[in-house]
Amino acid sequence: MKDEQLTLSEMKRGSLYRNMAKGRTERYIGSVSHIRPVMDYHKEEQEGAMIRDIRIATQSEVDQYIDETNARVAGKPVISRVAPQS
């Protein structure tokens, strides 16, 4: 993982990132400006964040987010993990 600051052009919609200000993993869904990504938390809360507070989520943080999502969904469908593409 690189130590440099992430930029909006490097972020991919739908991908999971760690919001360090909130201490949780969130999904990137768009941007308000060149320094404010809009993050989604389990389809419950959407708001702008500061790019300086965002980093790429680790695999364990992604796994935890998926487990939380599975626990919240009615009917309990299971989201499967897919190996990252190179």
Side-chain angles (χ1 to χ4, degrees), residues 22 24 26 29 32 36-40 45-49:
K22 292 190 174 185
R24 65 185 187 192
E26 301 175 336
I29 60 171
V32 176
R36 294 202 44 110
V38 176
M39 308 301 287
D40 176 82
E45 179 183 337
Q46 298 175 353
E47 72 180 313

Side-chain angles (χ1 to χ4, degrees), residues 14-28 39-43 45 54-66 68-69 72:
S15 294
L16 296 173
Y17 296 88
R18 188 71 176 181
N19 185 331
M20 301 303 290
K22 292 190 174 185
R24 65 185 187 192
T25 302
E26 301 175 336
R27 186 172 305 280
Y28 171 59
M39 308 301 287
D40 176 82
Y41 183 68
H42 294 297
K43 298 187 181 207
E45 179 183 337
I54 304 298
R55 68 164 170 77
I56 296 172
T58 64
Q59 186 60 53
S60 63
E61 291 165 345
V62 170
D63 291 343
Q64 180 181 4
Y65 181 91
I66 290 170
E68 290 170 1
T69 300
R72 291 171 178 258

